[in-house]
Amino acid sequence: MPHSAPPRRSIVLTGASQGLGKAVCETLRSEIFAGDQRILIGRSATEGPGSAETFLQRDLSQDRFDADGILIAPDVARLIFVNNAGTVEPIASFARIDPIELHKAMNVNFASPLAIAQHLARVARARSIPLLVLNVTSGAALRPVAGWTAYCTSKAAIRSALDVLALEEESVSVLHFDPGVIDTPMQARIRQSAPEDMPEVDAFRAMARENQLQTAAAVAGKLSGIIRDFAA
């Protein structure tokens, strides 16, 4: 007996324009995901969008992200939200952090993905379909790093909020995925930090010198495997 096609998925990905998100986009364009709806959110357009893709050019640092503009196809049987977008800025000591820049970081890492997760949870509940929130997290969500007030606080906040969502909504499951240190523009920015702003900066510089950084493509492969295996 021939195998039936898997139920159609809708995959929502933030941070699709660069770094890990861009690499994930490339994996989602493989034949494995050909039948799935892909909604890509980023600051600038990605290369080579296919007919099954929708690109939403959005700045997650702005207030009141309009998640209702994420339109899920009516025949979708499973929802996947890859919360990938993130910013490590501003990097500064607690005493010198700019409150405006801190607010923007909280929007990118917490408020905007929270709005997206809320919207998709409502869709999942209304249609009685499962939602997987694949949260790209960091060790900084669990431990303090000097100079990373914005990053540690916002990553911890979204992790906790998503855990509450999964507790409250039977149709929602959350997986926190910590990719480790990846060779991305974010890491390049971290290595440019002044020691007085980030005392641990030399450790990150050493990892780059010693080729200890993972490639974005390798980590994207792991993420795409999780997405592929998600079943109702």
Side-chain angles (χ1 to χ4, degrees):
M1 180 179 295
H3 294 290
S4 60
R8 191 177 186 216
R9 294 161 291 207
S10 182
I11 305 165
V12 179
L13 169 70
T14 59
S17 302
Q18 65 177 350
L20 177 59
K22 186 175 181 180
V24 172
C25 282
E26 294 173 1
T27 67
L28 294 180
R29 289 172 181 147
S30 69
E31 187 64 28
I32 297 173
F33 303 102
D36 295 322
Q37 179 189 32
R38 300 183 297 280
I39 300 175
L40 312 176
I41 302 172
R43 289 193 177 188
S44 58
T46 62
E47 297 178 0
S51 59
E53 291 182 4
T54 299
F55 183 81
L56 301 178
Q57 189 168 359
R58 299 286 188 273
D59 182 354
L60 301 187
S61 70
Q62 301 302 304
D63 290 338
R64 294 180 295 278
F65 180 84
D66 180 19
D68 291 340
I70 301 174
L71 303 179
I72 305 301
D75 60 338
V76 161
R78 289 173 285 179
L79 292 173
I80 302 170
F81 171 33
V82 185
N83 178 36
N84 165 71
T87 181
V88 72
E89 307 230 36
I91 299 175
S93 66
F94 188 93
R96 297 195 309 107
I97 195 166
D98 184 329
I100 295 176
E101 294 305 310
L102 173 61
H103 181 72
K104 290 180 180 179
M106 292 299 293
N107 282 342
V108 173
N109 296 344
F110 174 68
S112 291
L114 179 66
I116 296 171
Q118 285 178 317
H119 169 65
L120 295 178
R122 287 193 292 267
V123 173
R125 186 190 315 123
R127 300 189 188 182
S128 297
I129 59 176
L131 163 64
L132 169 66
V133 181
L134 185 48
N135 180 41
V136 180
T137 188
S138 164
L142 302 174
R143 75 174 183 92
V145 178
W148 283 10
T149 298
Y151 193 60
C152 291
T153 303
S154 55
K155 295 299 277 188
I158 192 60
R159 181 184 181 109
S160 181
L162 292 174
D163 285 343
V164 172
L165 173 65
L167 182 65
E168 294 178 350
E169 296 286 342
E170 185 178 352
S171 61
V172 178
S173 56
V174 173
L175 176 61
H176 301 295
F177 177 82
D178 185 351
V181 184
I182 316 172
D183 188 10
T184 62
M186 179 185 288
Q187 281 299 314
R189 168 64 188 91
I190 289 171
R191 294 194 297 272
Q192 294 170 358
S193 301
E196 57 267 29
D197 289 327
M198 183 185 167
E200 293 184 32
V201 65
D202 283 343
F204 286 86
R205 293 171 180 170
M207 282 189 282
R209 286 196 308 269
E210 297 166 9
N211 297 317
Q212 295 179 3
L213 304 185
Q214 300 181 82
T215 66
V219 177
K222 297 175 184 178
L223 276 170
S224 64
I226 296 170
I227 296 169
R228 179 195 63 222
D229 294 339
F230 177 51

